[in-house]
């Protein structure tokens, strides 16, 4: 039997014939089955770390029974599908995506494809870029005049830090890293050290 592209469903019937008569008809129902929607897409949903590092983000799905190919798309300015590491066709279950600083948010979609058609329902994954959380600061909560102290800010996704220090105090060395060294004036009495995380994805709140 040859089935053309317009085939959707039908029956094949057969009966036995002899000089004594014809049997009842036995039928077999035949349908055209489109592969199922792909399963959950695995990969990062916050692209900030990839924007900062420039590293490609990897996304994967599991194979769908009956699929001969997969149709991947991504929306959002600054997001581009770069590679299909396992090749196209039946093994196209892995892609890599580049995110630039122009990216704000978008949706990654994938549909399963076969000779019988493309699944109308795409599996989707919402991707955003999220500013880092306000950092925690470690260091001495008391300071003596004329002394030098080191403070460290910690959060995820920071490209640099913005510090403020008490009036009359000064930085010893760099003033925008995760760790800074501060020298206090000889007549120091009271003041506050603050830090916030800076990144292409936005700045965090300030911690003191």
């Amino acid at each position: 039997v040859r089935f053309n592209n317009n085939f959707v469903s039908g029956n094949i019937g057969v009966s036995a014939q002899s000089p004594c008569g014809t049997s009842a008809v036995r039928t077999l129902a035949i349908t055209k089955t489109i592969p199922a929607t792909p399963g959950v897409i695995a990969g990062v949903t916050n692209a900030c770390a990839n924007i900062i590092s420039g590293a490609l983000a990897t996304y994967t799905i599991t194979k769908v029974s009956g699929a001969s190919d997969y149709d991947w798309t991504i929306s959002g300015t600054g997001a581009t599908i770069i590679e299909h590491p396992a090749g196209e066709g039946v093994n196209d279950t892995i892609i890599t995506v580049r995110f630039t600083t122009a990216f704000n948010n978008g949706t990654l979609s994938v549909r399963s494809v076969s000779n019988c058609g493309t699944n109308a329902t795409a599996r989707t994954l919402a991707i955003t870029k999220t500013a880092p959380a306000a950092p925690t600061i470690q260091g001495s909560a008391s300071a003596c005049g004329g002394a030098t102290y080191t403070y460290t800010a910690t959060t995820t996704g920071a490209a640099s830090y913005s510090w403020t220090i008490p009036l009359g105090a000064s930085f010893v060395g760099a003033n925008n890293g995760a760790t800074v060294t501060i020298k206090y004036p000889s007549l120091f009495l009271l003041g506050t050290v603050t830090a916030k995380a800076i990144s292409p994805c936005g700045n965090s709140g300030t911690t003191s």
Side-chain angles (χ1 to χ4, degrees):
V1 178
R2 176 180 287 118
F3 298 96
N4 63 35
N5 291 334
N6 296 324
F7 176 77
V8 176
S9 64
N11 296 299
I12 292 178
V14 61
S15 62
Q17 297 179 340
S18 79
C20 298
T22 302
S23 72
V25 176
R26 178 72 67 183
T27 61
L28 176 68
I30 302 173
T31 61
K32 176 174 74 173
T33 303
I34 293 174
T37 301
V40 173
I41 301 172
V44 298
T45 56
N46 179 7
C48 190
N50 298 87
I51 293 171
I52 293 171
S53 68
L56 300 180
T58 299
Y59 295 91
T60 64
I61 57 170
T62 57
K63 287 185 177 181
V64 176
S65 177
S68 59
D69 201 355
Y70 300 90
D71 181 20
W72 292 89
T73 60
I74 192 165
S75 66
T77 301
T80 307
I81 295 174
I82 300 299
E83 296 176 330
H84 299 256
E88 298 189 359
V90 68
N91 294 317
D92 190 18
T93 57
I94 307 171
I95 64 164
T96 58
V97 177
R98 174 173 290 124
F99 296 100
T100 70
T101 54
F103 178 77
N104 286 310
N105 58 74
T107 300
L108 178 64
S109 303
V110 59
R111 287 182 169 87
S112 55
V113 180
S114 77
N115 292 334
C116 292
T118 300
N119 194 299
T121 304
R123 179 66 63 185
T124 62
L125 181 69
I127 305 170
T128 62
K129 68 175 184 182
T130 304
T136 59
I137 298 177
Q138 293 180 319
S140 177
S142 60
C144 296
T148 299
Y149 298 86
T150 297
Y151 299 87
T152 300
T154 305
T155 192
T156 300
S160 62
Y161 291 85
S162 175
W163 294 85
T164 65
I165 58 179
L167 183 65
S170 60
F171 291 103
V172 179
N175 63 358
N176 63 351
T179 297
V180 295
T181 300
I182 300 171
K183 181 176 177 61
Y184 287 89
S186 58
L187 299 178
F188 175 74
L189 294 176
L190 183 66
T192 302
V193 174
T194 72
K196 68 178 177 181
I198 309 297
S199 90
C201 303
N203 301 335
S204 76
T206 299
T207 300
S208 59

